[in-house]
Amino acid sequence: MARFDEVKAALWSSGTYGVQPPLTDEVAREAEQVLDLALPFSLLDLLRVQNGGEVSSDWNAFPTAQPTSWSADHVPFSELMGIGHRELTASLLATPYLVEEWDLPSPIVLISGDGHYWIALDYRECGRRGEPSVIWLDADLDSELQLAVDFRSFIEGLTSVASCGSEVIP
């Protein structure tokens, strides 16, 4: 429990890029209706501190046991999408469009990424009301890797890119 609270208290960078308006219960319910699934409590808990945006450099990587197209030992986590409609700001609400655009599996919710790669909540095994695992999707290589059994474990596993052993793969 302490690890999640530690990361939650220090997750966000000081910038305002990608930040949606403060998350309300009404906006969270709307998102669950639009996405037709239940979002993890731990995700909503983080988004109530700040509704998306850039992640602090202390928590901007998730270690992996196998190489990805990004690095030999981690994937990037530079931002977490919030929930909202702010223009030119990424939102979890864009997931249905992006899943179709990038031909991604479903049901998932994209929480971070740039089109070529994504970090997503994966509801395929747990169902739309269950607790999703967290996966890395590489759209260019058509590959995926499970990162964590649930969102809370994902957050507790975050570290800094600097503490990872390898460089980004060019």
Side-chain angles (χ1 to χ4, degrees):
M1 177 88 115
R3 175 75 173 156
F4 180 82
D5 291 338
E6 173 190 353
V7 178
K8 176 182 159 184
L11 180 68
W12 304 106
S13 75
S14 59
T16 59
Y17 176 78
V19 178
Q20 295 281 352
L23 183 65
T24 63
D25 291 343
E26 181 181 337
V27 169
R29 280 192 300 275
E30 174 195 346
E32 290 182 329
Q33 288 175 347
V34 167
L35 299 169
D36 190 28
L37 45 75
L39 294 169
F41 175 78
S42 52
L43 171 62
L44 296 174
D45 199 24
L46 276 179
L47 295 180
R48 284 186 174 97
V49 173
Q50 179 177 303
N51 193 4
E54 293 178 305
V55 172
S56 161
S57 61
D58 292 336
W59 312 108
N60 64 357
F62 189 89
T64 60
Q66 68 186 65
T68 67
S69 59
W70 182 262
S71 168
D73 64 358
H74 71 279
V75 296
F77 187 65
S78 58
E79 65 181 40
L80 174 60
M81 290 185 207
I83 302 171
H85 301 284
R86 182 168 279 159
E87 195 170 333
L88 303 176
T89 302
S91 172
L92 274 66
L93 298 174
T95 292
Y97 166 77
L98 293 168
V99 163
E100 184 175 333
E101 178 73 18
W102 288 93
D103 194 28
L104 301 171
S106 185
I108 63 170
V109 174
L110 303 174
I111 61 172
S112 186
D114 74 354
H116 300 283
Y117 70 85
W118 300 99
I119 296 176
L121 303 175
D122 185 359
Y123 289 83
R124 290 175 291 176
E125 287 191 27
C126 68
R128 292 181 176 275
R129 301 289 173 236
E131 185 70 28
S133 61
V134 178
I135 59 172
W136 162 266
L137 295 167
D138 187 311
D140 293 336
L141 298 178
D142 194 27
S143 65
E144 68 180 71
L145 172 66
Q146 182 170 340
L147 300 176
V149 296
D150 58 32
F151 184 76
R152 183 184 185 100
S153 299
F154 173 75
I155 293 299
E156 290 177 341
L158 291 173
T159 189
S160 68
V161 167
S163 70
C164 295
S166 72
E167 297 291 320
V168 172
I169 296 173

